[in-house]
PDB file of all heavy atoms in Angstrom:
ATOM      1  N   ARG W  43    -237.337   3.685-204.072  1.00  0.00           N
ATOM      2  CA  ARG W  43    -236.387   2.927-204.866  1.00  0.00           C
ATOM      3  C   ARG W  43    -235.500   2.069-203.977  1.00  0.00           C
ATOM      4  O   ARG W  43    -235.233   2.365-202.823  1.00  0.00           O
ATOM      5  CB  ARG W  43    -235.542   3.853-205.740  1.00  0.00           C
ATOM      6  CG  ARG W  43    -234.482   4.668-205.009  1.00  0.00           C
ATOM      7  CD  ARG W  43    -233.139   3.933-204.965  1.00  0.00           C
ATOM      8  NE  ARG W  43    -232.065   4.752-204.450  1.00  0.00           N
ATOM      9  CZ  ARG W  43    -231.714   4.826-203.185  1.00  0.00           C
ATOM     10  NH1 ARG W  43    -232.395   4.172-202.279  1.00  0.00           N
ATOM     11  NH2 ARG W  43    -230.698   5.568-202.790  1.00  0.00           N
ATOM     12  N   LYS W  45    -231.773   0.246-204.678  1.00  0.00           N
ATOM     13  CA  LYS W  45    -230.671   0.146-205.646  1.00  0.00           C
ATOM     14  C   LYS W  45    -229.562  -0.700-205.022  1.00  0.00           C
ATOM     15  O   LYS W  45    -229.011  -0.346-203.988  1.00  0.00           O
ATOM     16  CB  LYS W  45    -230.148   1.537-206.007  1.00  0.00           C
ATOM     17  CG  LYS W  45    -229.172   1.569-207.180  1.00  0.00           C
ATOM     18  CD  LYS W  45    -228.892   3.013-207.593  1.00  0.00           C
ATOM     19  CE  LYS W  45    -228.061   3.081-208.866  1.00  0.00           C
ATOM     20  NZ  LYS W  45    -226.689   2.559-208.663  1.00  0.00           N
ATOM     21  N   GLU W  52    -225.939  -4.109-211.699  1.00  0.00           N
ATOM     22  CA  GLU W  52    -226.817  -3.253-210.889  1.00  0.00           C
ATOM     23  C   GLU W  52    -228.259  -3.769-210.914  1.00  0.00           C
ATOM     24  O   GLU W  52    -228.735  -4.284-211.932  1.00  0.00           O
ATOM     25  CB  GLU W  52    -226.811  -1.816-211.432  1.00  0.00           C
ATOM     26  CG  GLU W  52    -225.434  -1.171-211.496  1.00  0.00           C
ATOM     27  CD  GLU W  52    -224.963  -0.646-210.151  1.00  0.00           C
ATOM     28  OE1 GLU W  52    -225.793  -0.609-209.214  1.00  0.00           O
ATOM     29  OE2 GLU W  52    -223.785  -0.281-210.038  1.00  0.00           O
ATOM     30  N   LEU W  54    -231.915  -2.077-209.930  1.00  0.00           N
ATOM     31  CA  LEU W  54    -232.643  -0.878-209.521  1.00  0.00           C
ATOM     32  C   LEU W  54    -234.135  -1.196-209.550  1.00  0.00           C
ATOM     33  O   LEU W  54    -234.687  -1.537-210.592  1.00  0.00           O
ATOM     34  CB  LEU W  54    -232.337   0.289-210.463  1.00  0.00           C
ATOM     35  CG  LEU W  54    -233.154   1.571-210.251  1.00  0.00           C
ATOM     36  CD1 LEU W  54    -232.913   2.158-208.860  1.00  0.00           C
ATOM     37  CD2 LEU W  54    -232.824   2.600-211.320  1.00  0.00           C
ATOM     38  N   LEU W  56    -237.972   0.272-208.618  1.00  0.00           N
ATOM     39  CA  LEU W  56    -238.838   1.396-208.280  1.00  0.00           C
ATOM     40  C   LEU W  56    -240.207   0.798-207.965  1.00  0.00           C
ATOM     41  O   LEU W  56    -240.683  -0.057-208.700  1.00  0.00           O
ATOM     42  CB  LEU W  56    -238.960   2.371-209.445  1.00  0.00           C
ATOM     43  CG  LEU W  56    -237.679   2.782-210.156  1.00  0.00           C
ATOM     44  CD1 LEU W  56    -238.015   3.625-211.381  1.00  0.00           C
ATOM     45  CD2 LEU W  56    -236.761   3.551-209.214  1.00  0.00           C
ATOM     46  N   TYR W  73    -228.910  -4.302-214.988  1.00  0.00           N
ATOM     47  CA  TYR W  73    -228.005  -3.820-216.035  1.00  0.00           C
ATOM     48  C   TYR W  73    -226.575  -3.817-215.521  1.00  0.00           C
ATOM     49  O   TYR W  73    -226.319  -3.844-214.307  1.00  0.00           O
ATOM     50  CB  TYR W  73    -228.399  -2.411-216.475  1.00  0.00           C
ATOM     51  CG  TYR W  73    -228.472  -1.410-215.328  1.00  0.00           C
ATOM     52  CD1 TYR W  73    -227.404  -0.576-215.021  1.00  0.00           C
ATOM     53  CD2 TYR W  73    -229.629  -1.305-214.548  1.00  0.00           C
ATOM     54  CE1 TYR W  73    -227.474   0.320-213.961  1.00  0.00           C
ATOM     55  CE2 TYR W  73    -229.712  -0.407-213.495  1.00  0.00           C
ATOM     56  CZ  TYR W  73    -228.627   0.402-213.205  1.00  0.00           C
ATOM     57  OH  TYR W  73    -228.705   1.277-212.153  1.00  0.00           O
ATOM     58  N   ASP W  76    -223.040   1.466-215.317  1.00  0.00           N
ATOM     59  CA  ASP W  76    -222.896   2.574-216.277  1.00  0.00           C
ATOM     60  C   ASP W  76    -223.557   2.311-217.630  1.00  0.00           C
ATOM     61  O   ASP W  76    -223.345   3.069-218.574  1.00  0.00           O
ATOM     62  CB  ASP W  76    -221.412   2.925-216.503  1.00  0.00           C
ATOM     63  CG  ASP W  76    -220.703   3.308-215.212  1.00  0.00           C
ATOM     64  OD1 ASP W  76    -221.343   3.984-214.379  1.00  0.00           O
ATOM     65  OD2 ASP W  76    -219.552   2.908-215.037  1.00  0.00           O
ATOM     66  N   SER W  77    -224.352   1.255-217.765  1.00  0.00           N
ATOM     67  CA  SER W  77    -224.968   0.970-219.063  1.00  0.00           C
ATOM     68  C   SER W  77    -226.396   1.502-219.163  1.00  0.00           C
ATOM     69  O   SER W  77    -227.003   1.421-220.231  1.00  0.00           O
ATOM     70  CB  SER W  77    -224.976  -0.540-219.333  1.00  0.00           C
ATOM     71  OG  SER W  77    -225.799  -1.209-218.399  1.00  0.00           O
ATOM     72  N   LEU W  78    -226.939   2.026-218.078  1.00  0.00           N
ATOM     73  CA  LEU W  78    -228.318   2.530-218.114  1.00  0.00           C
ATOM     74  C   LEU W  78    -228.331   3.944-218.680  1.00  0.00           C
ATOM     75  O   LEU W  78    -227.771   4.863-218.109  1.00  0.00           O
ATOM     76  CB  LEU W  78    -228.923   2.521-216.706  1.00  0.00           C
ATOM     77  CG  LEU W  78    -230.441   2.719-216.637  1.00  0.00           C
ATOM     78  CD1 LEU W  78    -231.152   1.576-217.358  1.00  0.00           C
ATOM     79  CD2 LEU W  78    -230.917   2.796-215.195  1.00  0.00           C
ATOM     80  N   LYS W  79    -228.990   4.099-219.831  1.00  0.00           N
ATOM     81  CA  LYS W  79    -229.015   5.378-220.539  1.00  0.00           C
ATOM     82  C   LYS W  79    -230.442   5.698-220.963  1.00  0.00           C
ATOM     83  O   LYS W  79    -231.314   4.839-220.943  1.00  0.00           O
ATOM     84  CB  LYS W  79    -228.106   5.334-221.771  1.00  0.00           C
ATOM     85  CG  LYS W  79    -226.646   5.006-221.478  1.00  0.00           C
ATOM     86  CD  LYS W  79    -225.861   4.913-222.767  1.00  0.00           C
ATOM     87  CE  LYS W  79    -224.381   4.654-222.511  1.00  0.00           C
ATOM     88  NZ  LYS W  79    -224.155   3.306-221.898  1.00  0.00           N
ATOM     89  N   ALA W  80    -230.663   6.931-221.360  1.00  0.00           N
ATOM     90  CA  ALA W  80    -231.963   7.311-221.919  1.00  0.00           C
ATOM     91  C   ALA W  80    -232.212   6.489-223.181  1.00  0.00           C
ATOM     92  O   ALA W  80    -231.295   6.217-223.967  1.00  0.00           O
ATOM     93  CB  ALA W  80    -231.991   8.798-222.228  1.00  0.00           C
ATOM     94  N   ILE W 133    -236.893   5.505-220.935  1.00  0.00           N
ATOM     95  CA  ILE W 133    -236.230   6.350-219.947  1.00  0.00           C
ATOM     96  C   ILE W 133    -235.955   7.692-220.599  1.00  0.00           C
ATOM     97  O   ILE W 133    -235.214   7.778-221.581  1.00  0.00           O
ATOM     98  CB  ILE W 133    -234.923   5.714-219.455  1.00  0.00           C
ATOM     99  CG1 ILE W 133    -235.208   4.383-218.761  1.00  0.00           C
ATOM    100  CG2 ILE W 133    -234.177   6.656-218.510  1.00  0.00           C
ATOM    101  CD1 ILE W 133    -233.960   3.620-218.342  1.00  0.00           C
ATOM    102  N   ASP W 134    -236.573   8.742-220.099  1.00  0.00           N
ATOM    103  CA  ASP W 134    -236.365  10.085-220.643  1.00  0.00           C
ATOM    104  C   ASP W 134    -235.114  10.730-220.057  1.00  0.00           C
ATOM    105  O   ASP W 134    -234.329  11.359-220.780  1.00  0.00           O
ATOM    106  CB  ASP W 134    -237.577  10.977-220.345  1.00  0.00           C
ATOM    107  CG  ASP W 134    -238.833  10.474-221.051  1.00  0.00           C
ATOM    108  OD1 ASP W 134    -238.718   9.965-222.185  1.00  0.00           O
ATOM    109  OD2 ASP W 134    -239.924  10.585-220.465  1.00  0.00           O
ATOM    110  N   LYS W 135    -234.948  10.584-218.740  1.00  0.00           N
ATOM    111  CA  LYS W 135    -233.791  11.164-218.055  1.00  0.00           C
ATOM    112  C   LYS W 135    -233.300  10.187-217.001  1.00  0.00           C
ATOM    113  O   LYS W 135    -234.095   9.549-216.321  1.00  0.00           O
ATOM    114  CB  LYS W 135    -234.166  12.494-217.390  1.00  0.00           C
ATOM    115  CG  LYS W 135    -234.579  13.595-218.354  1.00  0.00           C
ATOM    116  CD  LYS W 135    -234.932  14.874-217.592  1.00  0.00           C
ATOM    117  CE  LYS W 135    -235.375  15.978-218.540  1.00  0.00           C
ATOM    118  NZ  LYS W 135    -235.737  17.222-217.794  1.00  0.00           N
ATOM    119  N   VAL W 136    -231.987  10.075-216.868  1.00  0.00           N
ATOM    120  CA  VAL W 136    -231.428   9.204-215.839  1.00  0.00           C
ATOM    121  C   VAL W 136    -230.093   9.775-215.369  1.00  0.00           C
ATOM    122  O   VAL W 136    -229.307  10.304-216.167  1.00  0.00           O
ATOM    123  CB  VAL W 136    -231.238   7.765-216.372  1.00  0.00           C
ATOM    124  CG1 VAL W 136    -230.277   7.717-217.558  1.00  0.00           C
ATOM    125  CG2 VAL W 136    -230.781   6.834-215.254  1.00  0.00           C
ATOM    126  N   SER W 137    -229.870   9.733-214.072  1.00  0.00           N
ATOM    127  CA  SER W 137    -228.602  10.156-213.480  1.00  0.00           C
ATOM    128  C   SER W 137    -228.261   9.166-212.374  1.00  0.00           C
ATOM    129  O   SER W 137    -228.960   8.171-212.180  1.00  0.00           O
ATOM    130  CB  SER W 137    -228.729  11.577-212.908  1.00  0.00           C
ATOM    131  OG  SER W 137    -229.534  11.573-211.733  1.00  0.00           O
ATOM    132  N   LYS W 138    -227.206   9.449-211.631  1.00  0.00           N
ATOM    133  CA  LYS W 138    -226.818   8.544-210.552  1.00  0.00           C
ATOM    134  C   LYS W 138    -227.833   8.544-209.414  1.00  0.00           C
ATOM    135  O   LYS W 138    -227.873   7.609-208.607  1.00  0.00           O
ATOM    136  CB  LYS W 138    -225.436   8.929-210.018  1.00  0.00           C
ATOM    137  CG  LYS W 138    -224.309   8.658-211.003  1.00  0.00           C
ATOM    138  CD  LYS W 138    -222.968   8.986-210.391  1.00  0.00           C
ATOM    139  CE  LYS W 138    -221.834   8.665-211.363  1.00  0.00           C
ATOM    140  NZ  LYS W 138    -220.502   8.975-210.787  1.00  0.00           N
ATOM    141  N   THR W 139    -228.666   9.593-209.342  1.00  0.00           N
ATOM    142  CA  THR W 139    -229.613   9.689-208.230  1.00  0.00           C
ATOM    143  C   THR W 139    -231.041   9.997-208.657  1.00  0.00           C
ATOM    144  O   THR W 139    -231.851  10.425-207.835  1.00  0.00           O
ATOM    145  CB  THR W 139    -229.158  10.768-207.225  1.00  0.00           C
ATOM    146  OG1 THR W 139    -229.055  12.028-207.914  1.00  0.00           O
ATOM    147  CG2 THR W 139    -227.833  10.412-206.589  1.00  0.00           C
ATOM    148  N   SER W 140    -231.372   9.768-209.916  1.00  0.00           N
ATOM    149  CA  SER W 140    -232.754  10.007-210.352  1.00  0.00           C
ATOM    150  C   SER W 140    -233.035   9.296-211.669  1.00  0.00           C
ATOM    151  O   SER W 140    -232.108   8.985-212.432  1.00  0.00           O
ATOM    152  CB  SER W 140    -233.035  11.505-210.504  1.00  0.00           C
ATOM    153  OG  SER W 140    -232.283  12.042-211.585  1.00  0.00           O
ATOM    154  N   ILE W 141    -234.330   9.075-211.928  1.00  0.00           N
ATOM    155  CA  ILE W 141    -234.740   8.452-213.184  1.00  0.00           C
ATOM    156  C   ILE W 141    -236.197   8.818-213.454  1.00  0.00           C
ATOM    157  O   ILE W 141    -237.000   8.944-212.530  1.00  0.00           O
ATOM    158  CB  ILE W 141    -234.562   6.916-213.122  1.00  0.00           C
ATOM    159  CG1 ILE W 141    -234.828   6.280-214.486  1.00  0.00           C
ATOM    160  CG2 ILE W 141    -235.448   6.296-212.046  1.00  0.00           C
ATOM    161  CD1 ILE W 141    -234.423   4.811-214.544  1.00  0.00           C
ATOM    162  N   SER W 142    -236.541   9.029-214.712  1.00  0.00           N
ATOM    163  CA  SER W 142    -237.918   9.331-215.081  1.00  0.00           C
ATOM    164  C   SER W 142    -238.183   8.830-216.490  1.00  0.00           C
ATOM    165  O   SER W 142    -237.263   8.683-217.302  1.00  0.00           O
ATOM    166  CB  SER W 142    -238.198  10.836-214.992  1.00  0.00           C
ATOM    167  OG  SER W 142    -237.359  11.557-215.879  1.00  0.00           O
ATOM    168  N   GLY W 143    -239.470   8.545-216.769  1.00  0.00           N
ATOM    169  CA  GLY W 143    -239.809   8.059-218.091  1.00  0.00           C
ATOM    170  C   GLY W 143    -241.260   7.612-218.174  1.00  0.00           C
ATOM    171  O   GLY W 143    -242.115   8.073-217.417  1.00  0.00           O
ATOM    172  N   PHE W 211    -243.283   7.615-214.660  1.00  0.00           N
ATOM    173  CA  PHE W 211    -242.592   7.470-213.380  1.00  0.00           C
ATOM    174  C   PHE W 211    -241.510   8.534-213.229  1.00  0.00           C
ATOM    175  O   PHE W 211    -240.926   9.005-214.209  1.00  0.00           O
ATOM    176  CB  PHE W 211    -241.987   6.067-213.247  1.00  0.00           C
ATOM    177  CG  PHE W 211    -240.951   5.723-214.294  1.00  0.00           C
ATOM    178  CD1 PHE W 211    -239.599   5.930-214.086  1.00  0.00           C
ATOM    179  CD2 PHE W 211    -241.344   5.172-215.517  1.00  0.00           C
ATOM    180  CE1 PHE W 211    -238.654   5.608-215.042  1.00  0.00           C
ATOM    181  CE2 PHE W 211    -240.407   4.847-216.491  1.00  0.00           C
ATOM    182  CZ  PHE W 211    -239.055   5.058-216.257  1.00  0.00           C
ATOM    183  N   HIS W 212    -241.294   8.912-211.994  1.00  0.00           N
ATOM    184  CA  HIS W 212    -240.209   9.837-211.650  1.00  0.00           C
ATOM    185  C   HIS W 212    -239.793   9.552-210.210  1.00  0.00           C
ATOM    186  O   HIS W 212    -240.624   9.587-209.300  1.00  0.00           O
ATOM    187  CB  HIS W 212    -240.647  11.294-211.761  1.00  0.00           C
ATOM    188  CG  HIS W 212    -239.602  12.254-211.250  1.00  0.00           C
ATOM    189  ND1 HIS W 212    -238.493  12.609-211.998  1.00  0.00           N
ATOM    190  CD2 HIS W 212    -239.473  12.893-210.059  1.00  0.00           C
ATOM    191  CE1 HIS W 212    -237.745  13.440-211.304  1.00  0.00           C
ATOM    192  NE2 HIS W 212    -238.313  13.621-210.117  1.00  0.00           N
ATOM    193  N   VAL W 213    -238.526   9.227-210.019  1.00  0.00           N
ATOM    194  CA  VAL W 213    -237.996   8.980-208.677  1.00  0.00           C
ATOM    195  C   VAL W 213    -236.632   9.659-208.567  1.00  0.00           C
ATOM    196  O   VAL W 213    -235.749   9.432-209.390  1.00  0.00           O
ATOM    197  CB  VAL W 213    -237.863   7.474-208.382  1.00  0.00           C
ATOM    198  CG1 VAL W 213    -237.346   7.262-206.957  1.00  0.00           C
ATOM    199  CG2 VAL W 213    -239.199   6.764-208.568  1.00  0.00           C
ATOM    200  N   ASP W 214    -236.491  10.499-207.555  1.00  0.00           N
ATOM    201  CA  ASP W 214    -235.244  11.222-207.301  1.00  0.00           C
ATOM    202  C   ASP W 214    -234.833  10.951-205.856  1.00  0.00           C
ATOM    203  O   ASP W 214    -235.570  11.288-204.928  1.00  0.00           O
ATOM    204  CB  ASP W 214    -235.467  12.725-207.526  1.00  0.00           C
ATOM    205  CG  ASP W 214    -234.174  13.530-207.440  1.00  0.00           C
ATOM    206  OD1 ASP W 214    -233.275  13.137-206.660  1.00  0.00           O
ATOM    207  OD2 ASP W 214    -234.064  14.553-208.127  1.00  0.00           O
ATOM    208  N   TRP W 215    -233.687  10.319-205.668  1.00  0.00           N
ATOM    209  CA  TRP W 215    -233.210   9.989-204.317  1.00  0.00           C
ATOM    210  C   TRP W 215    -231.947  10.785-203.958  1.00  0.00           C
ATOM    211  O   TRP W 215    -231.127  10.356-203.171  1.00  0.00           O
ATOM    212  CB  TRP W 215    -232.983   8.483-204.177  1.00  0.00           C
ATOM    213  CG  TRP W 215    -232.030   7.869-205.174  1.00  0.00           C
ATOM    214  CD1 TRP W 215    -230.707   7.626-204.998  1.00  0.00           C
ATOM    215  CD2 TRP W 215    -232.362   7.389-206.494  1.00  0.00           C
ATOM    216  NE1 TRP W 215    -230.175   7.047-206.125  1.00  0.00           N
ATOM    217  CE2 TRP W 215    -231.164   6.868-207.047  1.00  0.00           C
ATOM    218  CE3 TRP W 215    -233.538   7.332-207.240  1.00  0.00           C
ATOM    219  CZ2 TRP W 215    -231.126   6.313-208.324  1.00  0.00           C
ATOM    220  CZ3 TRP W 215    -233.476   6.780-208.506  1.00  0.00           C
ATOM    221  CH2 TRP W 215    -232.295   6.273-209.051  1.00  0.00           C
ATOM    222  N   THR W 216    -231.826  11.973-204.557  1.00  0.00           N
ATOM    223  CA  THR W 216    -230.653  12.820-204.315  1.00  0.00           C
ATOM    224  C   THR W 216    -230.453  13.095-202.830  1.00  0.00           C
ATOM    225  O   THR W 216    -229.333  13.000-202.305  1.00  0.00           O
ATOM    226  CB  THR W 216    -230.776  14.158-205.066  1.00  0.00           C
ATOM    227  OG1 THR W 216    -230.980  13.896-206.458  1.00  0.00           O
ATOM    228  CG2 THR W 216    -229.543  15.007-204.879  1.00  0.00           C
ATOM    229  N   LYS W 217    -231.542  13.454-202.122  1.00  0.00           N
ATOM    230  CA  LYS W 217    -231.419  13.778-200.701  1.00  0.00           C
ATOM    231  C   LYS W 217    -230.951  12.596-199.891  1.00  0.00           C
ATOM    232  O   LYS W 217    -230.187  12.742-198.942  1.00  0.00           O
ATOM    233  CB  LYS W 217    -232.779  14.276-200.189  1.00  0.00           C
ATOM    234  CG  LYS W 217    -233.208  15.619-200.760  1.00  0.00           C
ATOM    235  CD  LYS W 217    -234.523  16.068-200.158  1.00  0.00           C
ATOM    236  CE  LYS W 217    -234.949  17.431-200.713  1.00  0.00           C
ATOM    237  NZ  LYS W 217    -236.246  17.869-200.148  1.00  0.00           N
ATOM    238  N   GLU W 219    -228.934  10.385-200.812  1.00  0.00           N
ATOM    239  CA  GLU W 219    -227.528  10.116-201.087  1.00  0.00           C
ATOM    240  C   GLU W 219    -226.591  11.097-200.375  1.00  0.00           C
ATOM    241  O   GLU W 219    -225.400  10.867-200.311  1.00  0.00           O
ATOM    242  CB  GLU W 219    -227.270  10.182-202.598  1.00  0.00           C
ATOM    243  CG  GLU W 219    -227.978   9.114-203.404  1.00  0.00           C
ATOM    244  CD  GLU W 219    -227.346   7.757-203.224  1.00  0.00           C
ATOM    245  OE1 GLU W 219    -226.111   7.681-203.211  1.00  0.00           O
ATOM    246  OE2 GLU W 219    -228.091   6.777-203.078  1.00  0.00           O
TER     247      GLU W 219
END
Side-chain angles (χ1 to χ4, degrees):
R43 73 91 172 91
K45 190 171 187 293
E52 303 280 350
L54 173 62
L56 313 174
Y73 55 96
D76 302 322
S77 65
L78 193 62
K79 302 177 177 66
I133 298 175
D134 296 324
K135 296 180 181 179
V136 61
S137 71
K138 291 183 178 180
T139 58
S140 67
I141 187 170
S142 61
F211 61 93
H212 173 79
V213 182
D214 187 328
W215 57 96
T216 304
K217 292 183 179 179
E219 295 287 318

